[in-house]
């Protein structure tokens, strides 16, 4: 089993930074989800991530960077220094997005410095960069940088195709097949956002939304003054694009409220092996595992993956989920649920 340290234990952050500098893996809390991290410029270390996750090696990873020293009045030159080791030809709208949303739950796909982080980028000519806001992630990034680690590749800390982890316990469950020599996990509590970062392609003249998250397309357009354009076939592909992703073991089905109600009524007391995640209280669910979906999209995102893991219990064959409400604020939650339903 991997070892888990409380992130605020004395020496925990330093131990994690040392592991990264040694080319080993660290399970790291961020404000979105937990990541499984390695030195982005260390090809063997990055290869260990792909192996641990069972992820195809052409699926690019996000590189995480430390915030500049004085983030409160961070200007383009400070962000320039932070991203320069990895990215070049940064378009003006991307600087505006860094100023507006970094440190935070936004990943920018930028043209990659050709000699750098090729394995982490899955061989693509671009690189995904993110400056996470979580204080533990920042502390580890700063401590690792002091040891020469310029950036940390960290995909979500789940086996390929599975539900992303939002607690240290989830990470330990996902990587139970690894030893404590392979993986050190830092426990920084439950992730505040709960779904992965918004991904914006910034390799072309206008921003393209590749993955919805807590930061909406409308907020991206407003912050940089350039309208987000619809993705087309030239946009970089991402593994979050895969139809089958975020998969529980049970079959997940999305249904409208009335459909869910009718289906439960028809089954009556025969309803079994079913778990329910609904926005309304429902009759006929007394003997079933049931969770209520919060009315606020942020609250729903925060608990989504933990609820799916909880409902995906032994004996449950179907997870019936009521469709989230309309509206852009729900795009991230709707996206994760519809991919889970297609798995
Ligand atoms: O919130 C997050 O972004 C979390 C935390 C740990 O930071 N990380 C995360 O990583 O979700 P991952 O690997 O599970 O998802 C990253 C997504 C993938 O869909 C990947 O294909 C896409 O980002 N991506 C990364 N680099 C890319 C690139 N150069 N071009 C296109 N897509 C890229
Ligand atoms: Mg992932």
């Amino acid at each position: 089993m991997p070892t888990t340290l409380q992130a605020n234990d004395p020496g925990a952050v330093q131990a994690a930074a040392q592991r990264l500098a040694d080319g080993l893996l660290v399970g790291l809390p961020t404000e979105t989800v937990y990541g499984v991290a390695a030195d982005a410029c260390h090809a063997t270390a990055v290869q260990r991530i792909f192996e641990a996750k069972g992820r195809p090696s052409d699926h690019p990873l996000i590189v995480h960077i430390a915030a500049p020293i004085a983030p409160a009045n961070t200007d383009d030159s400070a962000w320039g220094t932070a991203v320069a080791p990895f990215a070049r030809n940064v378009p003006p709208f991307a600087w505006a997005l860094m100023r507006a949303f970094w440190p935070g739950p936004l990943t920018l796909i930028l043209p990659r410095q050709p000699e750098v982080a090729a394995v982490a980028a899955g061989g693509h000519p671009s690189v995904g960069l993110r400056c996470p806001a979580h204080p533990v992630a920042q502390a580890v990034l700063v401590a690792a940088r002091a040891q020469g680690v310029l950036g940390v590749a960290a995909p979500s800390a789940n086996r390929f195709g599975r539900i992303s982890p939002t607690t240290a316990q989830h990470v330990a469950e996902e990587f139970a097949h690894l030893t404590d020599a392979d993986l050190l996990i830092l426990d920084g509590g439950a992730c505040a956002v709960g779904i992965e970062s918004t991904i914006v392609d910034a390799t072309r003249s206008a921003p393209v939304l590749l993955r919805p998250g807590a930061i909406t397309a409308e907020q991206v357009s407003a912050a940089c003054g350039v309208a987000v354009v619809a993705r087309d076939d030239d946009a970089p592909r991402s593994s979050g694009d895969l139809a089958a992703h975020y998969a529980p073991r049970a079959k997940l089905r999305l249904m409208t409220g009335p459909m869910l109600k009718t289906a439960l009524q028809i089954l009556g007391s025969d309803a079994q092996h079913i778990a329910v995640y609904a926005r309304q209280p429902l009759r006929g669910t007394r003997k079933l595992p049931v969770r209520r979906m919060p009315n606020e999209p942020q609250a729903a995102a925060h608990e989504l993956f933990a609820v799916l893991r909880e409902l995906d219990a032994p004996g449950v064959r179907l997870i019936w989920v009521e469709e989230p409400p309309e509206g852009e604020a729900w795009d991230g939650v709707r996206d994760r649920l519809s991919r889970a339903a297609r798995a």
Side-chain angles (χ1 to χ4, degrees), residues 32 55 62 64 126 130 155-156 196-197 199 211 238-240:
T32 57
R55 175 163 164 154
I62 295 171
H64 298 67
S126 56
R130 168 159 126 76
S156 53
E196 304 86 344
S197 58
I199 303 183
R211 179 173 72 184
S238 72
S239 75

Side-chain angles (χ1 to χ4, degrees), residues 33 53 55 155-158 161-162 164-165 196 211 239-240 245-246:
V33 300
K53 275 182 68 91
R55 175 163 164 154
S156 53
N158 51 279
R162 294 288 168 192
S164 300
E196 304 86 344
R211 179 173 72 184
S239 75
H245 223 71
Y246 312 112

Side-chain angles (χ1 to χ4, degrees), residues 25-152:
L25 302 184
V26 172
L28 198 63
T30 82
E31 72 278 26
T32 57
V33 300
Y34 275 71
V36 55
D39 178 351
C41 299
H42 190 310
T44 318
V46 172
Q47 203 54 48
R48 291 194 174 104
I49 298 181
F50 287 109
E51 275 162 30
K53 275 182 68 91
R55 175 163 164 154
S57 57
D58 59 345
H59 285 240
L61 310 177
I62 295 171
V63 176
H64 298 67
I65 54 174
I69 309 298
N73 51 11
T74 299
D75 58 14
D76 290 359
S77 65
W79 285 119
T81 308
V83 305
F86 294 99
R88 64 203 171 105
N89 301 339
V90 177
F93 75 82
W95 297 122
L97 294 177
M98 290 175 210
R99 277 198 305 274
F101 299 117
W102 278 6
L106 175 73
T107 296
L108 293 171
I109 309 298
L110 292 161
R112 181 167 58 85
Q113 297 285 14
E115 281 82 39
V116 177
V119 178
H124 296 253
S126 56
V127 61
L129 285 186
R130 168 159 126 76
C131 181
H134 197 293
V136 173
Q138 276 301 326
V140 171
L141 288 168
V142 168
R145 193 178 49 189
Q147 301 209 45
V149 176
L150 291 177
V152 164

